[in-house]
């Protein structure tokens, strides 16, 4: 099942280390089947607040996403970002093929 790394990045000021991080990140996730799905795009907030930027990287599986995050190659460059950008990063698994949200609704109704 596809998995995603979602980054909500805030307060990013231009810095040479951020440029280096961006230059190097693709080489760290490509061996794990990762690819950018959203990066540097403008977003439109419809509810609540969402200051900052969204980054979305897709992976073939949750195991691939975890292996990338924990890899020495990524851990080596992560401080280039974390020293200069505040944010939240989550790892989430996608829904399986054929997912039917009615099943979730039924479980909620059954629990009431």
């Amino acid at each position: 099942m596809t998995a995603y790394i979602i980054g909500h990045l805030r307060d990013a000021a231009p810095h040479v280390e951020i440029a280096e991080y961006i230059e190097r990140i693709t080489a760290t996730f490509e061996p794990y089947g990762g690819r950018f799905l959203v990066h540097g795009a403008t977003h439109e907030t419809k509810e609540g607040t969402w200051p900052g930027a969204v980054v979305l990287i897709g992976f073939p599986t949750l195991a691939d996403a975890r292996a990338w995050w924990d890899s020495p190659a990524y851990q080596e460059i992560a401080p280039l970002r974390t020293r200069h950008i505040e944010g939240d990063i989550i790892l989430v698994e996608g829904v399986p093929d054929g997912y039917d949200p009615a099943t979730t609704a039924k479980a909620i109704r059954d629990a009431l």
Side-chain angles (χ1 to χ4, degrees):
M1 208 170 346
T2 304
Y4 305 93
I5 297 280
I6 303 171
H8 177 203
L9 306 178
R10 301 176 298 282
D11 301 324
H15 194 281
V16 68
E17 286 190 341
I18 294 171
E20 181 180 348
Y21 174 85
I22 292 168
E23 290 166 349
R24 295 175 60 188
I25 190 171
T26 302
T28 69
F29 61 62
E30 282 182 337
Y32 300 92
R35 67 183 187 94
F36 277 118
L37 300 173
V38 176
H39 188 246
T42 302
H43 68 275
E44 183 176 336
T45 304
K46 294 297 191 182
E47 291 185 22
T49 60
W50 195 286
V54 179
V55 175
L56 177 63
I57 304 170
F59 290 87
T61 67
L62 190 60
D64 292 319
R66 284 184 180 135
W68 166 71
W69 182 266
D70 294 334
S71 71
Y74 181 67
Q75 290 303 309
E76 179 183 320
I77 69 166
L80 299 172
R81 174 185 52 80
T82 60
R83 284 194 287 259
H84 306 287
I85 302 175
E86 290 185 31
D88 303 301
I89 309 287
I90 64 169
L91 173 63
V92 62
E93 194 168 42
V95 297
D97 289 339
Y99 170 76
D100 182 359
T103 304
T104 302
K106 182 181 181 318
I108 292 169
R109 290 185 185 280
D110 292 348
L112 295 175

